[in-house]
Amino acid sequence: MKHLLKMLDLSSEEIIEILNLADQLKYELKHGIPHPHLKGKTLGMIFQKASTRTRVSFETGMYQLGGYPLFLSANDLQIGRGEPVQDTARVLSRYLDGIMIRTFAQKEVEDLAEYGSIPIINGLTDFCHPCQVLADLMTIREFKGRLEGLKMCYIGDGNNMANSLIVGGLKTGMTVSVATPADYMPDAEVMEFTKGFDCFEHTTDPLVAAKDADVIFTDVWASMGQESEKAKREIAFKGYQVNDDVMAQAKADAMVLHCLPAHREEEITAKVFEAHANEIFEEAENRLHAQKAVMVKLMAE
Ligand code: CP
Ligand code: NVA
């Protein structure tokens, strides 16, 4: 494993190794056991979009591992003035030990990896959000004790979160059911990947997808960069809400997860959100532990 660009690139074994290391690093942090695996290393963090969790968890995580994080706003880099990503990659590779990037096009992340010579970590693109899904899988395992055989249901837009959850769920032996409007399907490459799995289902009906689910996921109706489509999306996604009716279809002990930020009374009701707040905020915390595991796997000697 040289980079973390998308879940499709990871083997099932690599995913489990990351989750095991994340559990260990969480334990060490909670018990005051130092773990300076990246002493003296630097991580550049390029942000073309806003962030609370990704920025703070990577920055803190790098510090806890003994390394140094640099926040690089795209607006202040020459990349924001048109310097090609290919050149940025070759320059930053000479200063840094790793790069985390949050941007729009997946190709930009893939280009960084191709032209640079240091590990690249995808901190969200329009296509996928692998760091989030590793934290999500870690959280499910923590609450349910296993992944294999559980049913994960995703309700909402078929974009970055759906794409990564589908691949991460199927690669770890989960049954995955997804409800999206017909015009907001998961990416074609991801749908192609699902063809090898009997335990995958796509429907346009949230109540069908939620049937007997162990875990229910949702995400915002309008993602970053789609602000101008807000009104159109409010119409398209009406009914794609995690509410009491959806929860009534799921198992009685079903978990609810949300990558956050959440829009109450849009994709999830305040009532369901608060009833599952302990799971959702543990999930947010687990970003820290899962990403530390990724950085150690990629950047430690
Ligand atoms: N879930 C997530 O990636 O949050 P941020 O946008 O705050 O980083
Ligand atoms: N789908 C959301 C996820 C945010 C973490 C977005 O891309 O804005």
Side-chain angles (χ1 to χ4, degrees):
M1 182 178 160
K2 278 165 67 182
H3 306 285
L4 177 62
L5 307 182
K6 52 184 184 292
M7 293 302 287
L8 282 165
D9 296 339
L10 297 183
S11 67
S12 305
E13 293 72 29
E14 283 171 330
I15 295 173
I16 298 301
E17 276 175 27
I18 292 168
L19 301 186
N20 290 345
L21 180 55
D23 287 346
Q24 183 190 324
L25 291 168
K26 183 171 184 173
Y27 177 89
E28 289 175 1
L29 186 69
K30 302 276 175 193
H31 291 81
I33 303 167
H35 42 274
H37 301 288
L38 298 182
K39 194 166 184 301
K41 305 250 176 185
T42 51
L43 177 79
M45 309 187 305
I46 303 175
F47 282 92
Q48 304 251 26
K49 293 176 176 172
S51 169
T52 296
R53 280 145 289 270
T54 306
R55 176 179 175 179
V56 179
S57 55
F58 264 106
E59 203 160 325
T60 306
M62 194 58 185
Y63 173 77
Q64 291 172 356
L65 289 167
Y68 182 77
L70 290 86
F71 173 72
L72 305 168
S73 164
N75 292 335
D76 302 329
L77 292 173
Q78 296 289 7
I79 209 170
R81 296 177 58 247
E83 183 169 18
V85 72
Q86 293 89 332
D87 295 355
T88 306
R90 284 177 285 191
V91 171
L92 293 183
S93 292
R94 290 168 183 256
Y95 305 138
L96 300 167
D97 299 297
I99 296 175
M100 191 288 304
I101 178 165
R102 165 169 287 197
T103 190
F104 295 87
Q106 178 70 17
K107 184 167 187 315
E108 201 170 323
V109 180
E110 308 270 348
D111 281 351
L112 262 187
E114 186 182 341
Y115 286 90
S117 54
I118 54 175
I120 306 298
I121 300 171
N122 183 340
L124 179 145
T125 59
D126 293 344
F127 173 65
C128 67
H129 198 0
C131 291
Q132 178 68 53
V133 167
L134 289 168
D136 296 345
L137 295 173
M138 177 182 178
T139 311
I140 297 168
R141 218 170 62 151
E142 201 171 308
F143 278 81
K144 297 283 184 194
R146 68 193 165 104
L147 294 172
E148 209 163 340
L150 295 180
K151 178 173 175 179
M152 173 204 285
C153 161
Y154 173 87
I155 295 171
D157 192 3
N159 69 341
N160 45 20
M161 279 308 304
N163 288 334
S164 292
L165 280 169
I166 291 168
V167 178
L170 292 177
K171 285 196 175 190
T172 53
M174 300 177 86
T175 292
V176 179
S177 66
V178 173
T180 71
D183 292 340
Y184 296 89
M185 290 284 287
D187 189 270
E189 190 183 354
V190 171
M191 290 306 287
E192 186 61 32
F193 170 79
T194 66
K195 283 188 182 158
F197 295 87
D198 292 337
C199 51
F200 175 78
E201 173 190 31
H202 176 271
T203 165
T204 52
D205 186 342
L207 296 181
V208 170
K211 188 102 188 81
D212 297 325
D214 296 284
V215 192
I216 305 267
F217 272 94
T218 188
D219 185 15
V220 291
W221 290 345
S223 285
M224 289 182 278
Q226 299 171 338
E227 289 77 9
S228 64
E229 297 176 22
K230 193 170 183 295
K232 179 179 135 195
R233 284 170 170 270
E234 273 170 14
I235 296 166
F237 286 97
K238 200 170 178 338
Y240 288 81
Q241 183 189 62
V242 176
N243 53 28
D244 286 345
D245 293 343
V246 164
M247 294 311 295
Q249 296 298 317
K251 289 206 181 124
D253 63 351
M255 298 173 66
V256 174
L257 295 178
H258 192 308
C259 60
L260 301 175
H263 293 189
R264 289 166 176 77
E265 308 313 330
E266 291 187 16
E267 77 275 6
I268 189 166
T269 60
K271 185 176 168 213
V272 172
F273 184 94
E274 291 305 335
H276 294 272
N278 62 327
E279 296 148 17
I280 293 169
F281 290 105
E282 199 68 32
E283 173 191 17
E285 176 183 325
N286 285 341
R287 293 291 304 279
L288 171 69
H289 311 298
Q291 289 159 196
K292 283 168 73 179
V294 169
M295 288 192 284
V296 170
K297 284 263 172 227
L298 294 177
M299 295 167 63
E301 253 131 30

